[in-house]
Amino acid sequence: MDEMDLMKKLRDVPSPRPEAYDSARTALSAAMAEPTATVVRPKRWFSWPKAGIAAVGAAAVATAVVMATTSGSAPVAPPVAAPQVVDSPLVKLASDVKAGAQPGDASLIIRSTIAPDNSPYVFYTVYTDKGQTFHGDSAKTLSAAAAKGQDLATEYDATVMAAARLAADGDVEKAKNAMVNVSPGWALGKSTAEQEKEWAQRQEATAEVFRLKGLPVPAPKPRPTGKELEDGVNNALWSNTTYALFIGAANAEVRAGVLKLLATIKDVTIGRTDAEGRPALTLTAGPALQGGNGTHVLTVNADNGLPIRSETIPAAGSDGKPFVADYRSSRVTLADVAAGKI
């Protein structure tokens, strides 16, 4: 089962925009085991809507209704937040990014990928510093959306951006809790009773997905403990944080906060590479952060932290498919976008 299968089954939930799928893919990789009943995959390329955006991002949907972690006994207090990794290249890069903020009032993100029929697919997002979000499948449709004021911002967008900015301002531990808690069920920093309540609500949401699919509802799973809890929390942190990067990268505060938060995930491996002649960093979230179902590699510019590529590599022997999206990010003004100056 992949994110397209799931979203097709959720007929009452409007389809999310494309950049949400990178995060949804991460959340779904830590999902429950595939039901034994056969799920028929759609035969055609998924058509991205120009409007009808879900009230929450796909990452929130996926985590709310699918990600069910196994084992564990009684609910316990959340794990101690990972200490800030002061020698991480991401921390230094975050400081440089914030200090080098560019003029403009919005982020323009151009996302390019290849559809299953091998045709190119490009999607445009503008996220303003005020929290507005505009989309288009071309520069022309993006400009039209901005000119008409077709703001498709969601509460999910606002919440992950606020958490990223909080991390940029220095309160990384509080920001981590806020970013993780965008995904239902974790309740980091809350009482044991609140954690129990939110975990039970998450399990009921998972059961509802099975009901919608007409499949047997699995028994509720207890809140995980130990390393399994840490991996689940870090999956949510990775998913929500990278989503913020994919739509708000050209905002220096958002980007700096994202880099600081990613630096706290000790199981993320940081490497160096060359991307089209540019020095780059590879951030690899391996199987431990993907429910054992594969690897997600994020490539960012080593000089400014802007995303370059997001790549999902399925686990050997799985029926998952590799997925690659390339990103171009720049600082713009909304007025210029609305006037067609892209």
Side-chain angles (χ1 to χ4, degrees), residues 55-302:
V56 293
V61 174
T63 308
V65 299
V66 184
M67 204 176 101
T69 323
T70 57
S71 83
S73 52
V76 296
V80 176
Q84 185 65 44
V85 188
V86 294
D87 60 347
S88 168
L90 300 183
V91 176
K92 180 182 183 304
L93 183 54
S95 298
D96 294 342
V97 164
K98 194 173 180 186
Q102 298 294 312
D105 62 11
S107 293
L108 169 63
I109 312 296
I110 304 175
R111 178 186 188 273
S112 303
T113 189
I114 301 297
D117 63 2
N118 291 322
S119 63
Y121 188 83
V122 182
F123 197 78
Y124 295 70
T125 296
V126 163
Y127 182 82
T128 74
D129 296 346
K130 293 181 179 180
Q132 301 161 291
T133 308
F134 302 95
H135 305 283
D137 55 11
S138 68
K140 183 177 180 180
T141 57
L142 175 66
S143 294
K148 294 175 183 176
Q150 294 175 339
D151 179 9
L152 297 176
T154 68
E155 182 180 351
Y156 176 74
D157 292 351
T159 307
V160 297
M161 295 301 176
R165 289 188 174 102
L166 181 60
D169 290 338
D171 198 336
V172 177
E173 183 172 343
K174 185 176 179 180
K176 174 185 174 180
N177 287 353
M179 188 68 84
V180 171
N181 289 345
V182 176
S183 298
W186 297 115
L188 296 191
K190 299 183 181 181
S191 69
T192 300
E194 289 173 308
Q195 290 170 6
E196 290 184 27
K197 179 180 178 181
E198 290 198 23
W199 185 260
Q201 291 172 340
R202 173 169 155 167
Q203 293 297 294
E204 175 55 30
T206 298
E208 183 61 19
V209 170
F210 278 80
R211 296 187 192 105
L212 287 170
K213 295 171 70 172
L215 299 173
V217 177
K221 298 178 184 293
R223 184 181 173 89
T225 59
K227 183 62 164 62
E228 199 165 19
L229 175 59
E230 179 184 343
D231 288 343
V233 165
N234 284 337
N235 174 275
L237 180 60
W238 171 272
S239 176
N240 296 331
T241 301
T242 53
Y243 174 87
L245 185 68
F246 293 147
I247 74 166
N251 179 294
E253 270 196 316
V254 169
R255 191 159 79 258
V258 163
L259 294 169
K260 286 185 177 182
L261 288 169
L262 292 176
T264 69
I265 307 177
K266 63 182 179 62
D267 287 335
V268 170
T269 302
I270 303 173
R272 295 186 180 275
T273 189
D274 182 271
E276 299 178 356
R278 298 169 291 176
L281 299 176
T282 55
L283 284 60
T284 302
L289 298 180
Q290 309 295 312
N293 294 325
T295 298
H296 186 187
V297 181
L298 170 65
T299 303
V300 301
N301 188 301

Side-chain angles (χ1 to χ4, degrees), residues 29-85:
S29 66
M32 65 188 69
E34 178 75 26
T36 55
T38 301
V39 177
V40 179
R41 296 183 181 276
K43 301 294 185 182
R44 61 183 178 82
W45 170 237
F46 189 84
S47 176
W48 305 116
K50 295 184 176 66
I53 304 302
V56 293
V61 174
T63 308
V65 299
V66 184
M67 204 176 101
T69 323
T70 57
S71 83
S73 52
V76 296
V80 176
Q84 185 65 44
V85 188

